[in-house]
Amino acid sequence: MNSNQETNNSRWERWATVAFLAYCVSTIFIVFFSTSAVQIWPYPWNQLSILIACLLPLLLVLVWRIPRLIRDKKLEKQLLFIPIIIILGILNIVFSEDRSITLKVMGLFLISGIGIFAVTSCLLTTKFRKTIFLWLFWMILLALCVYGTLEYINKKPILLFSFNPIPAGSLLIILFVGPFLLFSSSSWWLRFLQLSSIVFGVAVIIMIGKRGPILGLLGMAFLLPLQEAELSALVVPLIAMILVGTGYKMRIHLPPTLRLNLITHRSTVLRLENYPFAAHIFLKKPLFGIGLHAPLTEYLKDYRQKITKNRAYSTYIKNKKTLENITLCSFVEMGGLFSITYIALIIYLLRNLFRRSRDKPRERLQAVLFLIPLAGFLIHSMTFDSLIYPHLNWLFHSYLGLMANFDKI
């Protein structure tokens, strides 16, 4: 009996390895090709490729976990959020003001985000798989940095396969989790390479020349001292402040593209106006929202601008079709019930992260290193709707799955 059980366990572990390999291959595809598939590949290959990449690892994990779930009758608490979020996502489609658009965007969000959170929560339970996961993120980061440098040398916009420089910066920030979490357990020469890749990534983000990613970097710099109690740890944010101040003073000597992107303030007031406008819409549809990516223009008719009286705001909303802020987009488009449930999941994962690292110096260091890319990504997400992009959605929810298994690093 024990021999049969060991054979079954070995077989199912091999199945888990196959599922993990499928996830790794899908990750590479999603990062490098998903935006191209969505925007320029012909139908039906665009939708089919995304579906296969998202569903293959998910189906393999379900085949692997369901028999164990039936046998053990035990389910991790973070996975209980998933069916609730899926149900609320379906309700968001039902009550959407444009069901066809919301069906496409919400469907993509669920399979490339929530579904992948389920995959990584189940798969990243061994040190070996977690190490491979971090190396994968690190190698993708290096590949994108090299590609971005080539784009810059050839005087092209740095897009990093994203068709937009703004998510390109966020992509690099979330990938920092690879070298960050590998750093404490690496040999000195690997630490040097990891540190060099982080510096390389920071340089590419600066070359992208968008304020949102650079603001995310500053947030990361101010979190670094949390890993040290000594005053000397303040040197990192101090250096960051000096560099930012010096850079601003020397702004007239920047290349034209960087100068235009970094020091213009024309959109700042319009972005601030998004907050009262979002409140105006939310009060009308607080529970299920207007529908993910549903049009906002109808709500301009009875809205009185609070911060700016400039007529350009209406044009700005009509052109952007978004509130350019992941929190505002979530509450307005997805609704209060969906947003509160989703935030509760993140809070639950963070609570476990802090609880498991309490009074343990090494675990505390790892917890801080966990938080640094998360903070940078979320700070940048306050300037654009990050999770609408499938590759960012995929990597962010993979990151959450890694966080769910923090104690197994």
Side-chain angles (χ1 to χ4, degrees):
M1 185 67 176
N2 290 337
S3 178
N4 290 336
Q5 188 174 0
E6 289 178 4
T7 302
N8 288 334
N9 289 338
S10 178
R11 185 181 69 218
W12 287 117
E13 280 305 310
R14 287 196 295 270
W15 190 271
T17 301
V18 172
F20 180 66
L21 290 175
Y23 164 79
C24 292
V25 173
S26 292
T27 298
I28 294 170
F29 171 82
I30 290 292
V31 170
F32 292 100
F33 302 108
S34 63
T35 308
S36 299
V38 169
Q39 297 199 16
I40 63 176
W41 287 14
Y43 178 83
W45 304 112
N46 52 356
Q47 295 182 8
L48 190 61
S49 61
I50 297 289
L51 281 174
I52 292 174
C54 294
L55 293 180
L56 181 60
L58 180 58
L59 291 175
L60 290 172
V61 166
L62 288 175
V63 171
W64 169 54
R65 284 302 302 269
I66 288 176
R68 296 182 61 183
L69 177 61
I70 295 172
R71 184 190 67 195
D72 299 337
K73 298 179 180 179
K74 183 180 179 181
L75 186 69
E76 291 82 357
K77 291 181 180 179
Q78 68 268 9
L79 297 179
L80 296 175
F81 285 90
I82 294 176
I84 300 173
I85 291 174
I86 292 173
I87 292 170
L88 292 173
I90 294 171
L91 290 173
N92 182 253
I93 297 170
V94 170
F95 291 102
S96 173
E97 297 179 5
D98 192 329
R99 291 180 185 174
S100 60
I101 291 179
T102 301
L103 175 62
K104 294 177 183 177
V105 182
M106 178 59 77
L108 184 59
F109 171 80
L110 291 176
I111 63 171
S112 66
I114 301 302
I116 298 309
F117 169 67
V119 169
T120 50
S121 292
C122 293
L123 287 176
L124 298 179
T125 54
T126 67
K127 186 174 180 62
F128 175 76
R129 286 200 288 266
K130 207 167 288 138
T131 301
I132 297 299
F133 172 90
L134 296 174
W135 271 84
L136 176 66
F137 270 44
W138 184 19
M139 293 301 104
I140 292 175
L141 172 67
L142 285 175
L144 289 174
C145 287
V146 171
Y147 185 78
T149 303
L150 293 175
E151 287 182 310
Y152 185 80
I153 291 172
N154 291 317
K155 298 182 179 179
K156 297 179 180 179
I158 301 178
L159 304 179
L160 305 181
F161 305 96
S162 297
F163 284 73
N164 189 328
I166 295 176
S170 210
L171 178 61
L172 296 180
I173 288 174
I174 199 70
L175 288 169
F176 280 152
V177 71
F180 266 54
L181 294 184
L182 287 169
F183 191 82
S184 62
S185 59
S186 298
S187 57
W188 69 267
W189 63 273
L190 272 178
R191 287 189 177 192
F192 175 77
L193 293 177
Q194 288 153 4
L195 184 60
S196 299
S197 65
I198 292 169
V199 173
F200 196 4
V202 170
V204 173
I205 289 173
I206 293 173
M207 287 189 291
I208 288 173
K210 292 294 182 181
R211 285 174 292 175
I214 292 176
L215 187 62
L217 288 179
L218 287 175
M220 293 168 65
F222 277 89
L223 270 178
L224 281 172
L226 292 178
Q227 63 181 307
E228 297 288 348
E230 299 177 6
L231 290 176
S232 60
L234 295 174
V235 69
V236 174
L238 183 61
I239 290 174
M241 290 179 64
I242 293 172
L243 290 176
V244 170
T246 304
Y248 186 78
K249 285 291 185 182
M250 301 294 291
R251 61 190 182 277
I252 60 173
H253 302 293
L254 291 170
T257 303
L258 289 179
R259 185 167 65 247
L260 177 64
N261 289 332
L262 291 177
I263 66 176
T264 181
H265 302 289
R266 287 176 296 179
S267 66
T268 303
V269 175
L270 300 178
R271 289 175 184 269
L272 290 175
E273 188 68 46
N274 284 337
Y275 286 87
F277 183 49
H280 170 75
I281 302 173
F282 179 75
L283 290 175
K284 291 178 179 290
K285 288 200 169 183
L287 296 181
F288 301 110
I290 64 172
L292 188 56
H293 238 47
L296 302 167
T297 51
E298 286 297 314
Y299 293 91
L300 288 168
K301 295 178 181 178
D302 61 342
Y303 174 67
R304 298 181 63 180
Q305 292 174 210
K306 304 295 190 299
I307 297 174
T308 175
K309 303 302 180 183
N310 194 329
R311 293 181 180 179
Y313 183 70
S314 296
T315 305
Y316 162 79
I317 290 294
K318 291 174 183 176
N319 291 338
K320 294 293 184 180
K321 301 178 182 179
T322 177
L323 295 170
E324 293 195 293
N325 182 311
I326 190 61
T327 304
L328 299 183
C329 288
S330 179
F331 277 93
V332 168
E333 297 180 13
M334 298 182 182
L337 292 178
F338 187 102
S339 301
I340 290 170
T341 304
Y342 189 79
I343 293 170
L345 168 62
I346 296 176
I347 291 174
Y348 174 78
L349 294 174
L350 288 172
R351 183 185 70 87
N352 284 349
L353 181 71
F354 290 123
R355 180 172 57 83
R356 292 166 181 169
S357 61
R358 188 183 303 159
D359 301 325
K360 297 177 182 178
R362 184 183 179 277
E363 284 77 3
R364 180 174 175 270
L365 172 62
Q366 290 292 90
V368 172
L369 295 176
F370 251 110
L371 289 176
I372 290 173
L374 176 64
F377 182 83
L378 293 180
I379 290 171
H380 186 201
S381 294
M382 298 303 288
T383 66
F384 82 118
D385 194 1
S386 56
L387 298 185
I388 294 301
Y389 294 87
H391 57 322
L392 296 183
N393 193 36
W394 179 289
L395 293 177
F396 177 70
H397 286 90
S398 297
Y399 179 96
L400 294 183
L402 179 66
M403 189 188 299
N405 294 289
F406 169 77
D407 56 334
K408 301 180 182 68
I409 291 182

